[in-house]
Amino acid sequence: GNLFIGLKSINKNGGFRDDFTEKRYIGKFKKTHLVYNGSLIIAVTDMTQERAVVGRIARIPNIEDKKAIISMDLVNVIPKKNIPNNYLYDYFRFSNVCEHLKEFANGTNVLHLKKEVIENFKIILPTQELINRYSNNVEMIYNYMDNLHEKIKKIKN
């Protein structure tokens, strides 16, 4: 089966969990639920009343399978414009965007954020040149982090 990534893969306050346990999925899935190394996902479900997970973004690290299937509790972030994933990830993760998004989640026991809220969310962007410069500068950092993530996983196994 395919590697399966669920809600438990998201850290409280965002990011991908280092202690991610692999699960497999056999069955049908939508193309929008297929993610790859470096893909961005946002949690649209939360079981904590403090909204610690909903609206939070995570970046898929380098995984051995190179692809995975995400659960219905997550959405795959595919930008409408030519915005590099590492720029978009940092923008969402280290600004107040996720704090703003989580306020749109509702429910009594389980909070749910409609994916349309994320799709229609507008952000202010600098020039494409500035975005590209930023992205090029942080790309090696994320590559380094992915390599460390792989090494840690091998040591644990």
Side-chain angles (χ1 to χ4, degrees):
N2 291 299
L3 182 63
F4 181 76
I5 296 174
L7 191 60
K8 289 185 177 182
S9 305
I10 307 284
N11 276 322
K12 287 186 176 185
N13 301 317
F16 198 83
R17 287 182 63 162
D18 289 332
D19 59 348
F20 164 70
T21 47
E22 288 192 9
K23 293 181 181 179
R24 297 285 165 176
Y25 174 78
I26 299 172
K28 295 181 181 180
F29 58 89
K30 295 179 182 178
K31 281 188 176 182
T32 55
H33 288 212
L34 188 61
V35 293
Y36 303 91
N37 293 344
S39 291
L40 304 179
I41 54 176
I42 294 181
V44 291
T45 305
D46 198 337
M47 299 206 197
T48 68
Q49 288 305 306
E50 63 269 8
R51 300 171 188 253
V53 179
V54 71
R56 306 298 180 170
I57 195 164
R59 181 182 161 278
I60 306 293
N62 282 350
I63 48 180
E64 200 172 306
D65 292 22
K66 307 279 190 244
K67 67 178 182 177
I69 306 301
I70 56 172
S71 75
M72 300 287 285
D73 299 313
L74 305 168
V75 292
N76 190 359
V77 179
I78 303 168
K80 293 179 182 175
K81 294 188 175 191
N82 186 24
I83 305 169
N85 276 0
N86 56 21
Y87 179 86
L88 196 59
Y89 174 69
D90 288 353
Y91 188 94
F92 271 69
R93 179 87 195 276
F94 302 113
S95 70
N96 66 347
V97 171
C98 293
E99 289 294 320
H100 185 71
L101 283 175
K102 76 178 186 176
E103 297 305 321
F104 289 95
N106 54 33
T108 50
N109 293 329
V110 178
L111 297 170
H112 187 73
L113 177 66
K114 293 181 180 179
K115 74 176 190 169
E116 291 79 22
V117 171
I118 300 166
E119 289 173 342
N120 296 325
F121 194 79
K122 300 205 183 314
I123 61 174
I124 299 170
L125 294 172
T127 64
Q128 189 67 45
E129 178 190 350
L130 193 56
I131 290 172
N132 291 340
R133 282 179 43 203
Y134 178 87
S135 178
N136 290 337
N137 286 329
V138 300
E139 184 176 3
M140 70 175 177
I141 295 170
Y142 283 113
N143 289 337
Y144 186 69
M145 288 170 57
D146 287 343
N147 288 334
L148 288 176
H149 181 31
E150 287 177 34
K151 288 177 183 178
I152 290 169
K153 188 173 176 183
K154 284 180 183 176
I155 290 171
K156 284 182 177 180
N157 293 335

